[in-house]
Amino acid sequence: GGRSGGLGAVGRRIARLLAEHGVPRLLLTSRQGPEDPRSGEVTDELTALGARVDIAACDVADEAALAAVLARVGDEAPLRGVVHCAGVLADGVLAETTPERLAEVLRPKADGAAHLHRLTADLDLGLFLLVSSAAGVVGTPGQANYAAANAFLDQLAHHRRACGLPAHSLSYGAWAGEGLAAEHADLERMARLGHRALTPEQGAALTALALRHDTGHLVAWSLDLPRLRAAAPAGALWRSLLPARPAAPAGGPTLADRLSRLPGTERAARVLALVREEAAQALGLRSADAVRPD
């Protein structure tokens, strides 16, 4: 198995999971490679689980460098799987998201994934796991660039499957004590809003579960539904996850009843207003005025 972003916290967890499931050889890549201060500890941990470990310096967004690393994988132990974990953050409000800040985030995740896809398309892989983020599913304040990068991974998984190639994109919520979220996010505030951080054990268990599903894109997230309900998040996704509002009392007037009591000239206007209200709520907009009548 080959792994990009292999020395990061989440990458290490997935490498451990693979070793525990009998993968005999692991090639881990990072920008620093063997010079990375984490390399010795990671090698010892995975070797103790019975895996042979190689660590290579490689910027996966550099297609030529990545091709050179893949070319060194020997015929006696050909590449059988890929896990792509690389990623960086460059948060900021949308108005401050310059092309440079967008490229900084897209490059390791999206470009790296595209290169891995192209360079391994002719190989007999059994695994192609893209480590994505729930930010690409629901959006996260200040992370338009990061959400876009992860949405690319999710769609790449669908594209690969349409081409008959293996692929899983797994959109993780925050990991407690590990990964980008642990370093940059306010996990306590997220928990108050109903977004619980995954423990490392939960993250590993959900990864193993996801890989047994024949589905291109899955979300691995720990949600506190009562707190989410209290926070009343807007949007169609949350409405699909949270129980529907209580139904109107039996015998109450239906929409058709209410419309029938209006003069004919007012019915179309009332229906239009209702559609705008529902659309605004589903899309998380501030008011029905944000939905143009056309």
Side-chain angles (χ1 to χ4, degrees), residues 64-141:
L66 181 59
V69 168
L70 294 177
R72 295 203 300 269
V73 178
D75 292 334
E76 70 176 80
L79 190 67
R80 292 287 182 241
V82 169
V83 181
H84 179 49
C85 300
V88 299
L89 295 177
D91 294 357
V93 296
L94 187 60
E96 297 174 358
T97 303
T98 62
E100 291 75 23
R101 295 183 76 175
L102 185 63
E104 180 183 355
V105 173
L106 286 176
R107 188 175 182 276
K109 258 192 185 290
D111 290 1
H115 297 333
L116 284 165
H117 163 63
R118 285 193 293 267
L119 292 171
T120 65
D122 295 332
L123 302 179
D124 182 21
L125 298 184
L127 171 70
F128 194 95
L129 173 59
L130 298 162
V131 174
S132 184
S133 167
V137 179
V138 298
T140 306

Side-chain angles (χ1 to χ4, degrees), residues 75-216:
D75 292 334
E76 70 176 80
L79 190 67
R80 292 287 182 241
V82 169
V83 181
H84 179 49
C85 300
V88 299
L89 295 177
D91 294 357
V93 296
L94 187 60
E96 297 174 358
T97 303
T98 62
E100 291 75 23
R101 295 183 76 175
L102 185 63
E104 180 183 355
V105 173
L106 286 176
R107 188 175 182 276
K109 258 192 185 290
D111 290 1
H115 297 333
L116 284 165
H117 163 63
R118 285 193 293 267
L119 292 171
T120 65
D122 295 332
L123 302 179
D124 182 21
L125 298 184
L127 171 70
F128 194 95
L129 173 59
L130 298 162
V131 174
S132 184
S133 167
V137 179
V138 298
T140 306
Q143 293 190 330
N145 48 9
Y146 190 62
N150 287 289
F152 177 87
L153 298 191
D154 304 337
Q155 294 307 311
L156 177 60
H158 289 301
H159 172 68
R160 285 181 57 86
R161 283 179 168 253
C163 295
L165 299 171
H168 286 86
S169 186
L170 191 50
S171 296
Y172 294 93
W175 288 54
E178 303 196 334
L180 291 175
E183 297 173 18
H184 300 278
D186 185 347
L187 296 183
E188 290 186 7
R189 178 179 176 277
M190 291 170 61
R192 290 195 298 271
L193 295 175
H195 305 171
R196 294 186 298 206
L198 293 166
T199 67
E201 293 73 25
Q202 288 174 330
L206 288 173
T207 303
L209 180 65
L211 293 178
R212 294 198 293 270
H213 276 261
D214 188 25
T215 304

